[in-house]
Amino acid sequence: MSSPSSRLSPDDVTAATVAAVQRTLDGRWHTVRDEIRDRPDFAELRVDPGLDVESYRAEIWEMLRRLADDGHAVHGFPTAVGGRGDIGASVVSFEMLAFADLSLQVKSGVQWGLFGGAIQALGNAEQHARFLPGVMDLSLPGCFAMTETGHGSDVQSVHTTATYDADSGEFVVDTPTESARKDYIGNAARDGRMAAVFVQLYTHGERHGVHAVLVPLRDDDGAVLPGVEISDDGHKEGLNGVDNGRLAFRGVRVPRENLLDRYGAVAEDGTYSSSIESENRRFFTMLGALVRGRVSVSGSAVGAASLAQAIAVRYGEARRQFAAPGSEEEITVLDYLAHQRKLLPGLARTYALRFAQNELVEMLHDIQTTREAGGDVDEKRQRELESRAAGTKALTTWHATATIQACREACGGQGYLSENRLGALRADTDVFTTFEGDNTVLLQLVAKGLISGYADDFGNLDTLGTVRFVADQVLDTVAERTSLRQLAERLRAVAPGRDEDDVLDRSWQVKLLDDREEHTLDGLVRRLRPARDKSLSAERQFAIFNNAQDHLLRAARSHLDGLVLDAFVRGVEAAVDPSARALLGTVCDLYALSVIEEDKGWFLEHGRISAARAKTVTAEVNRLCQELRPHARALVDAFGIPETWIGAPIATGAEQRRQDEARAHAASLH
């Protein structure tokens, strides 16, 4: 199957084409996106970036209250407490806030996604009825207190404790060391009244692992409660509308009923019980229930990248620089191949990641809706969700960081002005790569899950056990193949007999990425095999595993690139309008070939492509950039960002100039 790019002409892409592409990009919850686009006040949900921190926080709080009053938060909460029970809609509505103010988006995510989500996912029905209505209407502003100063990504090792006192029927919450402070906690410094605090749970002197307890922080007047210590994290590089703070607890007592006990309960006499016997498996089950936050972050990263690209492409179509020989008219900068190279492959990647994100949200919605209804959730499917959420979040947030910087550079000094939003987008999204899981750690989780059987037993292993188990498994088994191989075979069946040397043959693109993934996994197997030797010391076994981390990360990235291309192909096939499908097919080609070009050193080193083929790939990326140049504006318009939301003078001014030129051209024809 070859893409229809050779059949794409400038006249093929009309307003109807853009609408059809937008509909395909919007996905399953397109009506939710349209409802939010139709909000007349949405453009007002953005703060002057020149405000001081306290004023910024106050403005964001008032905007959050406005969203609460308008029912923005109800989508994902249970119908039994006044919600709509639509988890996918809640994630999509959160994503759309990326076009407004990212501090507002993160603040809403803390309140409704993390704090409310923890109560919903980990609490019982009585706790839902007691707390969630206040979470939704903002009468109970809260925090999600998981991260500690000394235990960022290692949640299982948090040091905060909750010890049950059977005489009083209360938990006593303590912060034993400075490194056990809850740090970087959104809503803590200014507005939070309660926190879902992740603790090591003790009853009768026995530790039962990590659980979450609801701990009041302030009274109704905002005064900090006895035993609670709150400090402000201070000014940040971005997201200063979010009041991040540090929390410490000195013998704070909370009722037994405040333990979120879906996966572990404590009776009045202190007897602990859980339906999951293994502490480690219980921990990972609990974290799996909280995956919505990670999915939401990846969606917001795609939204931020989309906004930056809409601004940069609009400006690139209006800005002129240097006259061509024999002409007095300066050339539009987007007509330069170097400028196209700066923007268009990244734009193709944004499209690819949008389709991958759409599939991830659908998977999340289906799994968590089944669980909320009391149905059985296939553990394998749950693990796949967690792995995809981790990997997609890493890819999208790294992409947002790189893309927004490229867009800033593409707009020159104008992109450096605060009024044009790119600087704020860059600063606000920078932390996305390390919150809701450090990206490097997340990729390691993806790679470990690729080894056959690992995900089944991972919940029962400590670090050294993990090393030994992986070493045992890698002798002759690796993970089930991704759908890439089946996809390549299906594409070849659709268009049999195609020239295998055609770099636009989609089955060739898919097979090349599939071969890279398989080879990388096989190489990882060989590097880990020596750790099977049981005569080696624990330190030596760990060193072997540690020394292969570079290969581990490459295996994860190779796997994820394949998943994203797979999602993009399905997105192309889902487009009903022929011109939309042709345009998306060309963008898909640019994405696939730019991924191959980016790693062509590996493909050359491992004999997967020849030097001549590598040159052909680069030449084809250049040609595709030039072919898509006339459609660049259509591609960013298909993101569906209303004109009043863009808010960057270089983009809105460019639009005005475009309209003026169109009117002048029309007048000249008459």
Side-chain angles (χ1 to χ4, degrees):
M1 176 181 177
S2 182
S3 85
S5 62
S6 60
R7 298 192 297 273
L8 188 67
S9 70
D11 293 336
D12 288 336
V13 179
T14 64
T17 305
V18 173
V21 172
Q22 178 183 315
R23 173 63 183 80
T24 306
L25 280 177
D26 281 353
R28 182 165 160 185
W29 285 273
H30 60 95
T31 56
V32 175
R33 296 184 190 275
D34 285 340
E35 287 173 4
I36 297 174
R37 290 182 180 115
D38 290 340
R39 283 188 58 143
D41 64 337
F42 195 91
E44 300 171 9
L45 300 177
R46 191 166 61 246
V47 176
D48 178 358
L51 286 177
D52 62 86
V53 171
E54 288 308 312
S55 298
Y56 196 175
R57 290 175 175 179
E59 286 280 345
I60 291 297
W61 172 255
E62 291 307 314
M63 290 178 182
L64 190 69
R65 186 179 295 282
R66 186 190 304 178
L67 289 178
D69 291 343
D70 291 346
H72 184 84
V74 301
H75 288 291
F77 289 107
T79 56
V81 296
R84 296 180 184 170
D86 192 336
I87 292 167
S90 71
V91 176
V92 166
S93 63
F94 175 81
E95 290 177 8
M96 295 295 285
L97 288 177
F99 300 134
D101 190 294
L102 284 166
S103 283
L104 176 62
Q105 184 189 48
V106 171
K107 182 92 166 175
S108 72
V110 169
Q111 173 67 18
W112 296 312
L114 296 179
F115 177 58
I119 297 172
Q120 181 179 353
L122 305 180
N124 56 48
E126 188 278 329
Q127 290 167 333
H128 290 176
R130 180 180 169 196
F131 296 112
L132 289 181
V135 172
M136 288 188 289
D137 67 18
L138 206 58
S139 60
L140 180 61
C143 310
F144 183 82
M146 177 183 280
T147 299
E148 293 182 354
T149 303
H151 305 92
S153 296
D154 187 7
V155 179
Q156 198 169 12
S157 298
V158 296
H159 284 181
T160 303
T161 61
T163 304
Y164 185 65
D165 179 357
D167 292 335
S168 65
E170 296 172 319
F171 288 102
V172 182
V173 182
D174 276 300
T175 302
T177 64
E178 185 174 345
S179 67
R181 295 176 308 176
K182 298 299 181 179
D183 208 350
Y184 214 80
I185 308 303
N187 273 2
R190 180 182 186 272
D191 298 319
R193 297 288 192 271
M194 179 177 281
V197 182
F198 288 78
V199 299
Q200 297 289 350
L201 186 71
Y202 287 85
T203 66
H204 297 314
E206 182 180 357
R207 187 181 66 82
H208 301 286
V210 177
H211 292 68
V213 178
L214 296 177
V215 181
L217 304 178
R218 294 178 172 91
D219 63 22
D220 292 340
D221 296 324
V224 178
L225 294 171
V228 177
E229 296 177 2
I230 302 178
S231 58
D232 197 322
D233 276 314
H235 191 274
K236 308 183 292 292
E237 292 299 310
L239 298 175
N240 280 299
V242 183
D243 51 323
N244 294 96
R246 300 183 181 94
L247 300 174
F249 307 97
R250 311 300 180 193
V252 177
R253 289 180 172 269
V254 298
R256 180 177 63 91
E257 292 77 15
N258 281 25
L259 173 68
L260 297 177
D261 62 0
R262 183 167 189 167
Y263 298 108
V266 175
E268 288 186 29
D269 65 357
T271 301
Y272 178 83
S273 62
S274 173
S275 59
I276 305 173
E277 183 175 349
S278 164
E279 177 188 321
N280 283 352
R281 186 172 292 279
R282 185 165 60 242
F283 171 74
F284 286 105
T285 300
M286 178 186 70
L287 286 192
L290 299 172
V291 72
R292 192 189 310 182
R294 196 165 281 167
V295 175
S296 297
V297 170
S298 64
S300 64
V302 175
S306 302
L307 177 57
Q309 288 167 330
I311 293 169
V313 165
R314 281 168 167 245
Y315 183 68
E317 285 201 324
R319 178 75 161 90
R320 294 179 178 274
Q321 184 107 325
F322 305 115
S327 173
E328 295 182 358
E329 186 175 18
E330 292 182 309
I331 299 172
T332 302
V333 295
L334 196 53
D335 287 336
Y336 290 105
L337 177 61
H339 206 80
Q340 295 164 12
R341 273 283 196 160
K342 188 175 289 186
L343 294 178
L344 298 186
L347 184 57
R349 190 177 295 259
T350 298
Y351 265 69
L353 291 170
R354 164 51 63 200
F355 286 118
Q357 174 69 13
N358 286 351
E359 291 193 352
L360 179 61
V361 173
E362 291 188 14
M363 185 186 300
L364 171 77
H365 174 86
D366 293 342
I367 288 174
Q368 293 200 344
T369 298
T370 298
R371 180 182 288 112
E372 291 291 332
D376 293 330
V377 174
D378 179 65
E379 285 193 22
K380 181 179 177 182
R381 186 70 169 160
Q382 174 66 35
R383 291 195 300 269
E384 182 185 0
L385 169 64
E386 293 164 16
S387 178
R388 285 201 180 196
T392 304
K393 184 266 179 182
L395 292 190
T396 56
T397 55
W398 271 328
H399 173 64
T401 297
T403 294
I404 296 168
Q405 177 63 25
C407 290
R408 206 294 296 161
E409 293 180 20
C411 295
Q414 294 292 334
Y416 199 61
L417 296 177
S418 295
E419 66 178 6
N420 288 320
R421 303 192 66 183
L422 294 172
L425 283 173
R426 181 178 56 186
D428 287 346
T429 57
D430 186 38
V431 75
F432 285 8
T433 61
T434 51
F435 79 22
E436 282 294 323
D438 176 89
N439 283 357
T440 300
V441 175
L442 295 182
L443 284 193
Q444 291 182 65
L445 293 177
V446 173
K448 291 173 183 178
L450 295 176
I451 299 173
S452 180
Y454 178 83
D456 291 329
D457 293 308
F458 177 51
N460 297 314
L461 301 173
D462 57 15
T463 301
L464 182 57
T466 296
V467 174
R468 290 171 173 164
F469 176 79
V470 171
D472 283 342
Q473 292 297 310
V474 300
L475 180 62
D476 50 20
T477 61
V478 294
E480 293 181 12
R481 303 300 300 140
T482 70
S483 57
L484 275 183
R485 180 158 300 169
Q486 292 88 345
L487 175 62
E489 292 171 355
R490 179 169 62 82
L491 293 175
R492 281 195 292 269
V494 171
R498 293 208 60 84
D499 181 2
E500 292 187 358
D501 292 332
D502 182 4
V503 298
L504 291 181
D505 183 344
R506 188 68 45 69
S507 63
W508 176 82
Q509 298 165 2
V510 170
K511 184 177 184 302
L512 199 62
L513 295 187
D514 180 65
D515 285 348
R516 182 182 63 167
E517 179 183 348
E518 183 176 34
H519 184 97
T520 305
L521 278 171
D522 288 344
L524 180 61
V525 165
R526 289 191 296 272
R527 290 185 68 176
L528 293 176
R529 184 175 293 143
R532 287 175 54 86
D533 185 350
K534 296 301 189 293
S535 67
L536 295 177
S537 67
E539 290 77 12
R540 180 55 187 154
Q541 286 181 319
F542 177 76
I544 292 170
F545 187 77
N546 191 45
N547 290 338
Q549 281 194 325
D550 60 329
H551 213 133
L552 205 69
L553 296 175
R554 175 173 280 278
R557 188 61 185 259
S558 298
H559 175 68
L560 292 167
D561 283 343
L563 289 180
V564 172
L565 179 57
D566 194 4
F568 202 159
V569 171
R570 281 192 290 273
V572 174
E573 293 174 342
V576 177
D577 179 83
S579 63
R581 179 177 287 200
L583 180 59
L584 287 170
T586 305
V587 178
C588 187
D589 280 334
L590 179 56
Y591 166 71
L593 293 183
S594 62
V595 169
I596 293 167
E597 182 188 43
E598 191 176 66
D599 205 21
K600 66 180 178 182
W602 186 94
F603 290 111
L604 284 164
E605 285 178 1
H606 293 83
R608 293 309 194 270
I609 59 175
S610 65
R613 179 66 64 84
K615 292 178 181 179
T616 300
V617 168
T618 295
E620 195 60 32
V621 169
N622 287 343
R623 190 194 68 78
L624 288 168
C625 284
Q626 293 168 332
E627 181 175 334
L628 286 170
R629 158 63 186 99
H631 313 302
R633 175 58 187 273
L635 290 172
V636 296
D637 284 352
F639 290 142
I641 310 173
E643 187 68 24
T644 56
W645 295 13
I646 293 177
I650 55 170
T652 54
E655 170 62 12
Q656 185 61 52
R657 286 193 296 275
R658 188 187 70 84
Q659 292 178 4
D660 291 344
E661 290 174 0
R663 283 193 291 269
H665 178 68
S668 69
L669 296 178
H670 293 84

